[in-house]
Amino acid sequence: MLFRARFATRRKSVFAETYNPEDDEEEDGVKMVHPKSDGQRQRLSESVKNILLFRALDEEQMADVLDAMFEKSVQPGEFIIRQGDDGDNFYVIERGRFEVYVKDPNGEENLIHTYDNRGAFGELALLYNMPRAATVKAITPGTLWAMDRQTFRRILLKSAYKKRKMYEDLINKVPMLKSLEPYERMNLADALQPKQYSDGEQIIRQGDTADGMYFVEDGVVRITITDENGREIEINRVPAGGYLGELALVTHKPRAASAYAVGDVKLAFLDVEAFERLLGPCMELMKRNIDDYEDQLVKIFGSKTNISDIR
């Protein structure tokens, strides 16, 4: 019955509430915990595993998410959120169908989306201190998992803050990234994804389609090219502070080389969509680097070779 009371008492204004990660000196402050059975926890884990907002959370933060969420059953016709209201909770759908409506300038409500037994909603009002941008109504019986505003902001904002601090030193070590403005560096840190590889493990395979680029946080990466006779030749080693995998993104061609971990390696991965969105200011420098790679190939193969022609 506790969760029913929480839903029934909505506060009139929450926009004055703020959370500053720098002021949170405790590891995560006072944590919200809603007890759950093993079955409930398993169902919740299945519901949240594909939620993009939680993709960058570490194991401890994900455990906080599971602890903090509470279950709510809904009936057909029930309004979960209404456009213009203050945001109080974030919702993850376990089961049920939900319609999303937005009012046009004439006040008419237009159906813009239907959730069908999966998805999440309600995050924008919480993250950006905005009124609800849409109305969400249940059209079948369903089950939702909800997290209160303060806990949502604490976990998500602290995650972003810790990630930015973690990658701050790495970004400062990469000369190419010095051309980025401070806010561009912050966005880059938010977009990076941690990757770890063991000694000898392949990171990039020559000939594959490019899915992103890598920044070396710790360790060394060995770069090789396979020639027309099938010989794999080492052409470079990339230490901490370096980067790799950008050439295929710049040339829009398959990977021109392979990459392997030398010892244990920690990398920060930037997917192709984020690369195109965030690293435009660095593109000219990366294009100039192609000439440097081609000069290396001249020494290896004895003639001017276009790196993008090697397969």
Side-chain angles (χ1 to χ4, degrees):
M1 298 299 292
L2 175 62
F3 64 82
R4 295 186 184 277
R6 293 175 62 86
F7 269 80
T9 56
R10 296 173 183 260
R11 287 166 294 176
K12 296 299 182 183
S13 180
V14 292
F15 296 147
E17 296 176 7
T18 59
Y19 168 72
N20 184 350
E22 292 182 299
D23 294 337
D24 189 354
E25 296 181 355
E26 298 297 324
E27 179 54 29
D28 272 308
V30 178
K31 298 179 181 180
M32 178 66 69
V33 178
H34 291 274
K36 300 171 183 68
S37 67
D38 291 342
Q40 284 179 309
R41 201 171 184 87
Q42 179 61 36
R43 289 191 288 112
L44 175 56
S45 296
E46 286 296 312
S47 298
V48 303
K49 68 180 182 181
N50 293 318
I51 302 301
L52 292 179
L53 275 172
F54 298 148
R55 185 175 64 177
L57 301 183
D58 58 31
E59 289 185 9
E60 183 177 354
Q61 289 166 332
M62 270 309 304
D64 288 347
V65 166
L66 298 182
D67 285 340
M69 301 196 83
F70 53 97
E71 189 174 7
K72 174 177 170 61
S73 296
V74 298
Q75 299 303 319
E78 184 174 345
F79 288 91
I80 315 306
I81 62 177
R82 291 181 183 269
Q83 185 173 345
D85 282 358
D86 286 351
D88 55 355
N89 294 303
F90 168 70
Y91 301 93
V92 173
I93 299 167
E94 179 181 321
R95 65 179 182 90
R97 299 184 71 219
F98 299 82
E99 292 181 338
V100 183
Y101 294 88
V102 172
K103 290 181 180 178
D104 64 22
N106 297 320
E108 295 291 326
E109 290 194 331
N110 299 296
L111 176 65
I112 63 167
H113 184 70
T114 299
Y115 290 104
D116 191 355
N117 288 289
R118 62 186 302 176
F121 57 87
E123 72 277 9
L124 294 180
L126 307 191
L127 285 173
Y128 300 111
N129 284 333
M130 298 165 53
R132 295 294 196 190
T135 295
V136 178
K137 181 175 72 172
I139 57 175
T140 68
T143 302
L144 296 170
W145 291 96
M147 182 190 300
D148 73 84
R149 172 190 180 85
Q150 287 183 310
T151 304
F152 177 84
R153 286 175 60 82
R154 176 177 58 78
I155 294 175
L156 270 293
L157 294 182
K158 185 157 190 177
S159 170
Y161 174 77
K162 289 171 69 174
K163 191 176 181 186
R164 288 171 185 171
K165 295 297 287 184
M166 179 175 71
Y167 286 130
E168 191 174 70
D169 289 341
L170 171 64
I171 290 172
N172 289 336
K173 289 177 183 175
V174 180
M176 175 185 72
L177 301 180
K178 290 182 179 178
S179 62
L180 296 179
E181 297 293 333
Y183 77 92
E184 292 173 324
R185 295 188 189 192
M186 188 168 62
N187 288 336
L188 175 60
D190 289 345
L192 291 173
Q193 303 170 39
K195 301 274 188 180
Q196 296 191 24
Y197 295 87
S198 301
D199 184 40
E201 191 172 356
Q202 189 168 51
I203 302 163
I204 290 174
R205 185 187 305 275
Q206 184 174 331
D208 281 358
T209 301
D211 58 350
M213 69 175 294
Y214 299 82
F215 296 92
V216 183
E217 186 175 358
D218 188 43
V220 174
V221 175
R222 182 169 64 95
I223 309 298
T224 70
I225 284 180
T226 301
D227 66 16
E228 58 187 11
N229 298 316
R231 295 179 304 163
E232 193 167 19
I233 302 168
E234 181 176 324
I235 64 166
N236 195 20
R237 292 200 171 201
V238 183
Y243 53 92
L244 58 140
E246 81 285 1
L247 294 180
L249 302 182
V250 174
T251 61
H252 301 288
K253 294 187 176 181
R255 297 291 195 190
S258 296
Y260 300 88
V262 179
D264 293 334
V265 174
K266 291 176 64 177
L267 303 175
F269 176 72
L270 185 69
D271 67 44
V272 61
E273 186 277 330
F275 171 87
E276 294 173 349
R277 176 168 51 90
L278 298 172
L279 292 189
C282 305
M283 197 64 71
E284 286 303 315
L285 179 57
M286 286 186 280
K287 288 178 179 177
R288 290 199 298 271
N289 286 345
I290 294 177
D291 293 333
D292 294 336
Y293 279 93
E294 290 179 349
D295 288 341
Q296 288 180 287
L297 296 180
V298 170
K299 297 176 184 178
I300 295 170
F301 295 103
S303 61
K304 186 67 175 177
T305 305
N306 190 317
I307 192 167
S308 61
D309 291 336
I310 297 175
R311 298 290 181 266

